[in-house]
Amino acid sequence: MVTTYDPTLFQGAASYYVRYRSRYPQSLFDRIADHFQLSPQERLLDLGCGAGLVAIPFSDRFREVVAIDPDADMLKEAQAEAERTGVNNIHWIHDRAESLSEELGQFRLATFGRSFHWMQRELVAEKLRSLLTDDGGIVILKTGDDPWNSQLPWKKTAISVVKRWLGDQRRTGQAGQGTWKSLDVPHDVVLETAGFTQHTTIEVTFEKTWTVDSYLGYLYSTAFALPSFFGENREEFEADLKKSLFEIESSGNFTEVLSAAALIAQKSK
């Protein structure tokens, strides 16, 4: 899907990402740790770490975490969040996952939180073969909060407002001029081809409550509705979104049950 890095992919989203993206439940990290029977001496490699939504809450299971992301603003937010929460065992690196080298050493796990699909997946998976221990694995995490395929009336309304201002095609990258393309090959097939053949999926559910303002913040954290996309129409878009959502629910509060899942792929023996 992605062959070259686009620095505009999440341009202007970092502060919204750390505040408004859905967090992975701690129970999901607990189940991943149990699956691998992690010891406190392990090392974690978090790729496309963004604002630290995996690296920070999972860091207490590891001696050291190496977190890599090409977006300097995202790393700045992640470092501030780590400092705020007293996490001090993460080494932050401003780089692309495609630049992985054996100089980083060995890791038990490599994690991706909503990031693998933006990368040259085949290249990254192949490089991880030599960086992971023999009993190591890859974990791809996601939450089911993507509104584009939701049947919830208020989410369908929110997307209809986005389309009203940005057009029917889902935008992404290239300063808002690119369009979203679905993956031709699923993640599990890419991982299997790279030699990660033992696959397991762990899923948990959790309740999430949004306000009109927090959902606006969520939209601004996404690659399809960055604040810059709206230009001089931003205030009008915000007014339209708020009016439309309050018409759906006068309280301005929306509660949903979301899933959080981890695709686990271990190295073939």
Side-chain angles (χ1 to χ4, degrees):
M1 177 180 176
V2 178
T3 55
T4 57
Y5 174 60
D6 180 359
T8 72
L9 191 59
F10 284 97
Q11 193 171 58
S15 63
Y16 297 100
Y17 206 105
V18 74
R19 293 175 62 191
Y20 298 113
R21 277 296 176 110
S22 298
R23 303 302 176 106
Y24 302 101
Q26 192 61 48
S27 59
L28 183 61
F29 295 118
D30 291 342
R31 290 184 61 182
I32 295 168
D34 290 344
H35 178 88
F36 283 96
Q37 298 183 322
L38 295 177
S39 78
Q41 296 306 308
E42 313 280 13
R43 298 177 76 225
L44 169 67
L45 177 62
D46 187 32
L47 295 170
C49 67
L53 272 58
V54 174
I56 295 172
F58 209 11
S59 62
D60 62 349
R61 297 284 188 162
F62 298 89
R63 170 174 59 86
E64 181 187 23
V65 177
V66 175
I68 300 176
D69 199 273
D71 190 312
D73 290 336
M74 286 286 188
L75 284 179
K76 182 179 178 181
E77 293 289 348
Q79 289 174 289
E81 180 72 3
E83 183 175 351
R84 185 185 70 79
T85 55
V87 174
N88 56 17
N89 65 334
I90 303 177
H91 178 48
W92 306 97
I93 298 177
H94 181 211
D95 206 347
R96 297 184 64 198
E98 290 84 352
S99 300
L100 285 173
S101 75
E102 295 186 8
E103 294 178 359
L104 293 171
Q106 290 278 293
F107 299 88
R108 181 70 188 283
L109 294 185
T111 51
F112 302 84
R114 310 183 189 97
S115 60
F116 194 45
H117 57 282
W118 297 117
M119 301 174 184
Q120 296 177 46
R121 296 178 297 159
E122 294 81 0
L123 173 61
V124 173
E126 180 60 34
K127 286 193 170 190
L128 285 173
R129 283 282 302 173
S130 61
L131 292 178
L132 293 172
T133 58
D134 289 342
D135 57 352
I138 292 173
V139 182
I140 300 176
L141 299 97
K142 66 177 181 178
T143 54
D145 53 3
D146 184 354
W148 283 84
N149 299 309
S150 176
Q151 296 304 307
L152 293 173
W154 65 272
K155 281 193 171 183
K156 293 174 72 173
T157 295
I159 290 301
S160 70
V161 175
V162 170
K163 289 181 177 180
R164 188 149 59 234
W165 291 92
L166 297 181
D168 288 337
Q169 287 192 304
R170 180 172 177 169
R171 294 195 190 187
T172 185
Q174 300 176 37
Q177 301 307 305
T179 55
W180 169 265
K181 295 180 178 62
S182 298
L183 296 173
D184 294 329
V185 181
H187 288 338
D188 56 348
V189 175
V190 172
L191 296 178
E192 186 166 1
T193 301
F196 296 88
T197 58
Q198 302 175 63
H199 296 174
T200 303
T201 298
I202 296 173
E203 186 171 357
V204 300
T205 58
F206 63 102
E207 191 173 89
K208 173 78 175 182
T209 297
W210 303 91
T211 66
V212 170
D213 286 336
S214 69
Y215 203 69
L216 172 63
Y218 165 80
L219 290 173
Y220 282 160
S221 80
T222 68
F224 64 79
L226 296 177
S228 60
F229 290 0
F230 299 94
E232 62 184 15
N233 296 319
R234 180 172 170 179
E235 289 187 6
E236 288 84 353
F237 160 71
E238 292 182 1
D240 189 4
L241 179 73
K242 292 177 180 180
K243 178 177 181 294
S244 299
L245 289 180
F246 275 117
E247 287 176 352
I248 294 289
E249 172 51 64
S250 60
S251 71
N253 296 311
F254 305 92
T255 300
E256 61 178 331
V257 176
L258 293 174
S259 65
L263 170 63
I264 295 173
Q266 294 178 253
K267 291 173 73 170
S268 53
K269 302 295 184 182

